[in-house]
Amino acid sequence: MKIPNKYRTISLTVIGILTVIEILLRLIFGLGNPVLSQADSETGYRFQPNQKIFRFGKHIKYNQYSQRSEPITTQKPPEKLRILMTGDSVLNGGNPTDQHQTITELLETKLSQSGQNVEVLNASAGSWGIGNELAYIRKFGTFQSDALILQIGTHDLTQPKSTSERVGHDPNYPDHPPLSAIQEGFTRYVWPALAPTFKLNSTSAEIPRPLPAEIDKQFQKNMNSLREILSLAQKQKIPVFVLFTPNREDLIPTFQTPLYKSEFLQILKAAQVKVIDTHIAWSKLPPTTVNNYFRDEVHFTVAGNQAAADLLFDQLCEAATLPACSTQKNP
């Protein structure tokens, strides 16, 4: 059966339009080439190693150890200062943050400008909890680092260890490239935005909030994971620091102390762990300034990342809390 010319023309036109859209989505937005995750029986999940992605105008790289950092050598050069940071999406930065605008990269830049031969490693992933960070350190070690900095936020105090169940199922945790940029754009961005409006999201049933006893149990479990991290670092004679990051509501409109933060700080004090507390430091700033540090309720803007990196540098190096900052300099 011969297809009429008008239908053939329409088909070719549609294919041509879709092809142009596909190319534009790939070239301009980087769709069709997302950052890929992988399930991991120990860490729950982590980013697939050796990725170099360009998304929404931002460069994103992962090295051979799933760190959002440049590739590293297994043996740390003796003249190099190496700092390992672990954390969640706040530390990672995600797609909205360029590689050079993460907390770790900005801290590395500050240290380099002060004369250090340095690398700051970023071992992190979205929704990682303290249990995931412990598992990562167990699996890969501390890379002969001169210091370990744990980024722990308000929500991390009571967050369970994240599992691999979302990998390959949640559009935000793909484990293989999509068939097309158009498909990814629709399933990952357009559909989630439209579904609630038209009440089409069948998975939007409200999740029951955990009971206070369950929250307390999870906090205690997280603190046990924290103690294990400290123990592992102590055996390797690596100093540990904590970068505490608040939620926006902890500072705006009024300052408030997050649930369990006081108990958390007492544990760190007993373990003689230095805390770099952006929650306290930023409470002294004008609300408009603090508001500019957040791009949502949890994650920082580039300005927020820079402020956190500056605070780390001031309290670790300028205050000589981390001796290696002042003893290992470029010639």
Side-chain angles (χ1 to χ4, degrees):
M1 179 179 178
K2 186 176 179 180
I3 301 175
N5 287 337
K6 67 174 182 178
Y7 294 121
R8 185 181 303 169
T9 301
I10 292 173
S11 298
L12 291 175
T13 300
V14 171
I15 292 172
I17 292 172
L18 291 176
T19 301
V20 171
I21 293 174
E22 176 74 17
I23 293 172
L24 290 177
L25 289 176
R26 286 182 178 273
L27 292 178
I28 298 176
F29 300 105
L31 292 177
N33 185 32
V35 175
L36 301 179
S37 300
Q38 67 180 55
D40 186 309
S41 60
E42 297 165 271
T43 67
Y45 54 86
R46 54 190 171 90
F47 291 105
Q48 293 184 19
N50 304 312
Q51 297 187 72
K52 188 175 181 179
I53 308 294
F54 183 74
R55 299 270 290 183
F56 303 109
K58 310 297 182 182
H59 294 89
I60 303 169
K61 299 178 185 178
Y62 287 94
N63 68 14
Q64 70 269 44
Y65 295 107
S66 302
Q67 300 164 351
R68 191 170 182 185
S69 307
E70 296 292 334
I72 61 172
T73 57
T74 304
Q75 293 293 320
K76 180 181 78 72
E79 74 283 359
K80 179 162 285 188
L81 170 65
R82 178 178 284 178
I83 298 173
L84 172 63
M85 291 191 70
T86 67
D88 59 12
S89 55
V90 173
L91 185 68
N92 185 273
N95 290 332
T97 308
D98 188 82
Q99 190 81 6
H100 297 299
Q101 297 173 334
T102 61
I103 293 173
T104 48
E105 291 282 335
L106 293 171
L107 175 59
E108 184 174 299
T109 298
K110 291 277 292 185
L111 289 163
S112 296
Q113 290 172 346
S114 73
Q116 304 288 338
N117 181 6
V118 62
E119 56 188 5
V120 183
L121 310 181
N122 186 330
S124 61
S127 296
W128 263 13
I130 299 174
N132 298 93
E133 296 175 40
L134 168 61
Y136 183 90
I137 293 172
R138 280 177 179 164
K139 185 180 184 74
F140 292 108
T142 54
F143 305 93
Q144 301 179 336
S145 297
D146 298 289
L148 171 63
I149 303 176
L150 312 174
Q151 176 266 312
I152 297 176
T154 293
H155 51 282
D156 296 314
L157 298 179
T158 57
Q159 178 182 312
K161 177 182 177 181
S162 293
T163 67
S164 62
E165 62 181 8
R166 68 186 71 187
V167 177
H169 303 286
D170 186 324
N172 294 310
Y173 295 83
D175 59 358
H176 61 275
L179 294 175
S180 68
I182 294 174
Q183 178 208 18
E184 185 192 8
F186 181 79
T187 58
R188 187 166 181 175
Y189 300 103
V190 176
W191 176 256
L194 292 178
T197 302
F198 296 100
K199 298 181 180 180
L200 298 173
N201 192 345
S202 60
T203 63
S204 60
E206 186 174 345
I207 300 174
R209 298 186 65 177
L211 298 173
E214 295 173 331
I215 296 174
D216 185 73
K217 184 177 180 180
Q218 186 60 56
F219 171 73
Q220 300 302 333
K221 186 175 182 178
N222 290 346
M223 292 305 98
N224 287 336
S225 295
L226 174 63
R227 291 185 182 97
E228 188 167 345
I229 292 175
L230 300 181
S231 177
L232 291 171
Q234 184 180 33
K235 290 176 182 177
Q236 299 178 42
K237 298 182 179 179
I238 301 173
V240 181
F241 304 89
V242 168
L243 172 66
F244 184 79
T245 55
N247 292 344
R248 192 205 310 252
E249 66 178 5
D250 299 332
L251 292 164
I252 299 174
T254 58
F255 177 87
Q256 58 181 341
T257 301
L259 183 67
Y260 292 111
K261 184 189 176 186
S262 298
E263 295 92 327
F264 171 61
L265 294 181
Q266 289 174 3
I267 291 171
L268 295 177
K269 182 178 180 180
Q272 297 183 323
V273 173
K274 167 74 175 177
V275 181
I276 296 85
D277 194 342
T278 57
H279 180 222
I280 294 297
W282 293 357
S283 69
K284 302 176 177 64
L285 301 175
T288 52
T289 300
V290 175
N291 192 55
N292 288 333
Y293 287 169
F294 289 87
R295 60 180 164 89
D296 54 32
E297 288 304 312
V298 174
H299 303 99
F300 297 167
T301 60
V302 175
N305 287 344
Q306 185 67 67
D310 290 345
L311 191 64
L312 280 167
F313 180 81
D314 292 343
Q315 296 198 18
L316 294 183
C317 299
E318 291 293 327
T321 308
L322 176 59
C325 282
S326 57
T327 59
Q328 297 189 30
K329 299 263 187 171
N330 286 329

